[in-house]
Amino acid sequence: MKRLFPLYYNKVSPCYARDHLGNHGCYARNDIPRFLFLASEGRFEEAFYVLKETNPFSSGCGRFCDHPCETACNRTKFDQPVDIKALERFVSDYGYSKGLVPKMLSGEKGKKIAVIGSGPAGLAAAYFLSRHGYRTDVYEKQPVAGGLLTQGIPAFRYPRDVFEKELAFIKASGVTVKCGEAIDKNRFLNIARDYDAVIVATGAHKPVEIGIEGEKTTGVESAIPFLRKINFGRTEELKIRKGEKIGVIGGGYSAIDVARCSVRLGAEPTVVYRRTRGEMTAHSGEVDDTMKEGVAYKFLRQPLRIEKHGDKLKLVVQVMKLGPVDESGRAKPFAVSGAFEELMFDRIVLAVGDRPDLYFVGERFTVDFPRMVCPDLQYDESSKIFITGDAAMGSVENTGMVVRVVGLAQDTVRGVREFLGENVAQDSKRETAFYNTLNTKYFDTAGRLVEEELSHAERVGNFKEVVKTVDEDMAMLMASRCFNCGICIKCDWCYFYSDGSLVKLDKEWVPTKDEHYYEFIEENISSATYKSVEACPRSALTVTPEGSRLDDFRKCQYISACEITRGECKND
């Protein structure tokens, strides 16, 4: 029978990975347990760099992210989830306030890469590549960089000065951003010839038509152009009047942002949605805010047609009811026979989704993520083309989810690096430290953070940021609520139970994966040692059979009693 050996080997936390219930953690693969432990210790600079390994937009995501990591958080099953989003924001803002600069991972490689589009996916891909030593040029057709970040997300959720700090950090890694550069077919071909690789990251900005009569009537407009005018300081072009009735069709973030902006400009918006609040793709917290700010809702209403009535618009809707769950995982709406309603508005904004517009790559193309197959190009050019972000995914429910496209950018960058000859290390598959693997008797219940916000009266007529960043003391306190699932934080419970089979090492905790702070005395392994494995609050230890793939790894953690006594051992 093979001998079983305990050892310290990291697991992944549910806030990082998809769990057995289908909850998805951080799409950007942020190392949440490690950055939170550093934050709990007041080591904010180190926590900042842990976040910047995986997400150049950590300050933004700490403001506008859907935070699926919190839904997956093990602490949810104990009391309430950890405030990961708010703490990511604090740590990132701290790093920028201290003037921290990117850490490079490699010297210059002598190869250059073009990225078409400066939205979150394009800038993230450029940032990751630049840190690995590639010269990276980003082409943007708008006069300012950012794509969705500056065109679609309002300043009250993502202040422009915060974006500018994130953009400056990306540029400090060596990325060049060229604005006002419209790319057509000929320009794209020339870029493909001039660069060693090209990444298409133009997002999804072409409005989806809902296919109803009257949607092109004067007074009907699309969400992205509407938001772009506001975010680019051209609000006067919208000519919104105080008390104007605006109908917003849709249930995602674009619809929510249009409604909240409209309120701030003095209008009276109503969101028209064919399902109920529970099926909206926008986060429930955002929906709560809209209601508190004065946005009205018409749920279970399917638009049928738009008619012009003088200077008004009549929206005829079908009354709906919910049926069984469809392929999106939400209840499917069905028409209530003979039930219709007429809604009157001064203008209507369509916010039902957007799709990629990839005309510039040629007449024919297919997406084989992360590659883009472009038969209209010669083979030498076609083999260089990659794609990432919403441009690669098409029109889907979570289009515009920044943290998601940052994760896609990581995948595309891996493909580019391998294409250019790098041997990119693969992450080993690890177990997940689910709640039932933790030893929660060591933890006390503690309440979740209540973030300070502007009062609703203070939000009227301006685009000031609504939520305020926590201070250092509160950040440390709230970060200490994290269970730090799957990693060792030197809590000493294993040492306490080990009955002399463990030696505690004198070294500082660092965020390096699989770093160990205790060593096993091989001759002293006993039932108490296995008790140490069970006692670990965080499921940071495991047991592996002799001869397993972890054998070499295990040998680094085992010493003999002779080594402790500096060789003063009796000969057999």
Side-chain angles (χ1 to χ4, degrees):
M1 179 179 291
K2 290 184 178 180
R3 188 178 177 188
L4 297 176
F5 288 96
L7 76 158
Y8 296 88
Y9 187 67
N10 292 168
K11 298 182 179 69
V12 293
S13 56
C15 60
Y16 171 90
R18 184 182 295 274
D19 70 15
H20 61 305
L21 299 176
N23 296 317
H24 201 298
C26 180
Y27 286 89
R29 306 178 178 105
N30 286 346
D31 198 333
I32 294 167
R34 285 183 175 81
F35 107 77
L36 287 178
F37 180 66
L38 288 166
S40 72
E41 298 277 292
R43 296 163 63 179
F44 303 127
E45 181 173 324
E46 294 169 85
F48 174 84
Y49 281 117
V50 169
L51 285 172
K52 289 304 179 187
E53 286 295 314
T54 48
N55 190 356
F57 300 109
S58 53
S59 234
C61 287
R63 288 169 161 82
F64 53 67
C65 185
D66 264 358
H67 48 279
C69 53
E70 293 187 16
T71 303
C73 175
N74 273 333
R75 185 121 197 171
T76 304
K77 303 174 182 66
F78 185 73
D79 45 26
Q80 293 177 303
V82 177
D83 300 279
I84 302 169
K85 176 182 171 183
L87 294 167
E88 180 178 10
R89 167 182 173 159
F90 166 81
V91 166
S92 301
D93 286 2
Y94 177 92
Y96 292 139
S97 72
K98 299 298 181 183
L100 301 184
V101 297
K103 291 184 177 180
M104 307 306 287
L105 301 174
S106 174
E108 284 285 339
K109 288 191 168 63
K111 294 183 179 179
K112 57 181 184 176
I113 298 165
V115 179
I116 313 299
S118 73
L123 288 174
Y127 166 77
F128 295 134
L129 285 165
S130 186
R131 292 183 69 223
H132 282 285
Y134 295 96
R135 179 189 141 191
T136 313
D137 295 331
V138 179
Y139 292 86
E140 170 57 53
K141 72 175 181 179
Q142 296 293 341
V144 298
L148 167 75
L149 298 168
T150 50
Q151 297 175 43
I153 302 177
F156 59 81
R157 286 210 290 140
Y158 189 31
R160 291 300 163 258
D161 65 317
V162 177
F163 168 73
E164 290 301 329
K165 290 174 184 175
E166 307 220 83
L167 181 61
F169 189 84
I170 290 168
K171 288 180 176 178
S173 73
V175 174
T176 300
V177 181
K178 303 180 179 184
C179 292
E181 297 273 359
I183 307 298
D184 58 17
K185 294 176 185 177
N186 289 332
R187 187 80 189 280
F188 182 72
L189 175 59
N190 290 333
I191 287 173
R193 288 170 176 165
D194 291 344
Y195 286 84
D196 295 294
V198 179
I199 298 176
V200 174
T202 46
H205 295 276
K206 190 173 184 179
V208 172
E209 295 181 354
I210 57 177
I212 64 171
E213 180 185 341
E215 69 177 294
K216 296 188 182 296
T217 302
T218 302
V220 180
E221 53 198 305
S222 296
I224 290 298
F226 182 95
L227 292 169
R228 187 181 292 136
K229 288 175 183 175
I230 294 173
N231 291 330
F232 283 7
R234 293 157 39 205
T235 304
E236 69 283 352
E237 295 179 22
L238 293 172
K239 299 179 181 178
I240 293 177
R241 306 183 310 276
K242 186 173 178 60
E244 181 177 339
K245 308 289 186 183
I246 299 180
V248 185
I249 299 175
Y253 274 109
S254 291
I256 294 299
D257 287 339
V258 167
R260 295 185 74 183
C261 287
S262 300
V263 166
R264 284 162 170 76
L265 295 172
E268 297 176 7
T270 299
V271 175
V272 181
Y273 184 51
R274 64 183 183 143
R275 289 182 166 100
T276 66
R277 173 177 171 171
E279 287 77 42
M280 293 182 75
T281 53
H283 191 271
S284 60
E286 295 282 347
V287 179
D288 287 341
D289 276 339
T290 63
M291 291 179 170
K292 292 172 184 175
E293 290 172 1
V295 177
Y297 282 83
K298 281 285 187 178
F299 291 116
L300 292 171
R301 298 295 185 271
Q302 172 74 56
L304 293 179
R305 65 181 181 274
I306 299 170
E307 300 174 358
K308 190 77 172 175
H309 278 253
D311 59 352
K312 302 286 185 182
L313 293 170
K314 179 197 289 184
L315 176 64
V316 181
V317 297
Q318 167 77 61
V319 178
M320 310 295 285
K321 63 181 179 180
L322 293 182
V325 172
D326 64 12
E327 64 278 0
S328 74
R330 298 173 296 165
K332 185 176 181 178
F334 290 89
V336 176
S337 180
F340 304 95
E341 191 174 337
E342 296 178 351
L343 307 173
M344 299 300 294
F345 298 109
D346 295 302
R347 86 171 71 197
I348 292 173
V349 180
L350 305 179
V352 293
D354 303 285
R355 57 190 174 87
D357 189 358
L358 302 171
Y359 68 93
F360 59 89
V361 303
E363 300 302 325
R364 300 173 297 158
F365 64 86
T366 55
V367 174
D368 183 17
F369 185 81
R371 305 303 291 262
M372 195 172 193
V373 182
C374 304
D376 291 343
L377 301 180
Q378 295 294 323
Y379 176 77
D380 286 349
E381 283 78 42
S382 180
S383 64
K384 300 177 181 179
I385 311 303
F386 292 79
I387 192 167
T388 198
D390 286 336
M393 298 296 106
S395 180
V396 294
E397 291 290 349
N398 51 2
T399 292
M401 187 175 179
V402 173
V403 71
R404 169 178 165 270
V405 303
V406 170
L408 293 175
Q410 293 172 14
D411 296 334
T412 300
V413 165
R414 172 184 288 273
V416 171
R417 291 172 61 199
E418 290 174 342
F419 168 72
L420 294 176
E422 276 198 74
N423 184 14
V424 184
Q426 298 286 333
D427 289 336
S428 57
K429 188 174 182 179
R430 297 172 184 267
E431 295 178 38
T432 302
F434 292 121
Y435 183 75
N436 62 0
T437 70
L438 307 181
N439 202 331
T440 56
K441 71 179 182 180
Y442 298 96
F443 304 116
D444 295 322
T445 56
R448 184 173 162 84
L449 171 68
V450 178
E451 292 180 285
E452 187 179 354
E453 299 182 355
L454 287 181
S455 69
H456 296 100
E458 292 176 295
R459 306 179 195 184
V460 177
N462 66 75
F463 285 75
K464 294 178 182 177
E465 187 168 20
V466 171
V467 181
K468 299 181 180 179
T469 304
V470 300
D471 60 28
E472 291 188 17
D473 290 339
M474 184 58 70
M476 291 175 65
L477 178 64
M478 290 296 106
S480 69
R481 292 185 65 241
C482 180
F483 287 160
N484 307 115
C485 306
I487 67 171
C488 174
I489 62 166
K490 297 175 60 176
C491 70
D492 284 353
W493 283 110
C494 58
Y495 183 68
F496 176 80
Y497 281 102
S498 69
D499 193 24
S501 59
L502 279 174
V503 173
K504 184 176 180 180
L505 304 179
D506 182 21
K507 62 180 180 180
E508 184 182 42
W509 191 89
V510 293
T512 308
K513 287 183 179 178
D514 297 319
E515 190 72 38
H516 65 279
Y517 304 95
Y518 309 87
E519 289 183 346
F520 296 93
I521 305 172
E522 190 157 0
E523 294 91 335
N524 293 2
I525 299 296
S526 66
S527 59
T529 317
Y530 298 99
K531 182 68 175 176
S532 294
V533 176
E534 296 174 13
C536 178
R538 296 163 180 84
S539 192
L541 288 101
T542 190
V543 176
T544 182
E546 187 175 10
S548 78
R549 64 182 178 86
L550 298 179
D551 250 17
D552 289 339
F553 184 83
R554 169 183 60 81
K555 290 171 184 176
C556 296
Q557 298 181 13
Y558 275 68
I559 59 173
S560 66
C562 183
E563 291 177 74
I564 298 175
T565 58
R566 299 183 181 180
E568 297 175 8
C569 298
K570 295 180 180 179
N571 293 326
D572 292 333

